[in-house]
Amino acid sequence: MTLPAGERGATRIADRVVAKIASQAAREALGAAAARGAPAADGLATGPPYADVTVHDDIVRVRVAVELGYPSDIGAQCGAVRRRIAERVKALAGMDVPEVAVTVERLHSAHTVSAGRERVR
């Protein structure tokens, strides 16, 4: 016997799962920007994007921290991160993302990498 859809219950996706989806989506967006020829700081280990989410009734607000290569089009990279997060969360979790706040934690310059990572004194 099959119950009507309204009587079956609901699926709840944990906030930490949504945060992982957002982090991975940001990583994908930044990887795509690098593949299009955006300058990157080769050789530097950058931290993965970190996302924090607030979920309320299938509406998600995301705060994500990223590290970017410099010089580059920072605005375009942040826009790509916003779009990719909204798309992936909608596709994988079925939730709307009206707000994605991107914080650039660090800029990595290819010039400082080639200088041998010496500290300025």
Side-chain angles (χ1 to χ4, degrees):
M1 174 178 191
T2 303
L3 293 174
E7 296 178 20
R8 285 187 236 156
T11 300
R12 181 173 179 333
I13 300 173
D15 292 3
R16 66 187 173 98
V17 172
V18 178
K20 286 183 180 184
I21 292 169
S23 293
Q24 178 62 35
R27 189 175 302 112
E28 292 168 2
L30 294 174
R36 285 193 309 269
D42 294 332
L44 264 183
T46 61
Y50 172 78
D52 184 37
V53 301
T54 303
V55 180
H56 182 69
D57 294 333
D58 291 338
I59 303 292
V60 182
R61 299 214 183 321
V62 179
R63 289 184 309 274
V64 62
V66 299
E67 296 181 9
L68 302 174
Y70 184 83
S72 64
D73 188 343
I74 295 169
Q77 290 183 57
C78 290
V81 167
R82 285 185 194 95
R83 284 186 300 278
R84 184 67 176 174
I85 287 174
E87 291 168 359
R88 297 299 286 162
V89 170
K90 180 67 174 174
L92 297 174
M95 298 177 178
D96 291 319
V97 185
E99 179 183 326
V100 178
V102 180
T103 302
V104 179
E105 291 286 324
R106 182 174 295 145
L107 295 173
H108 296 284
S109 171
H111 175 70
T112 57
V113 172
S114 64
R117 295 188 191 185
E118 295 177 6
R119 297 185 95 182
V120 176
R121 295 179 193 204

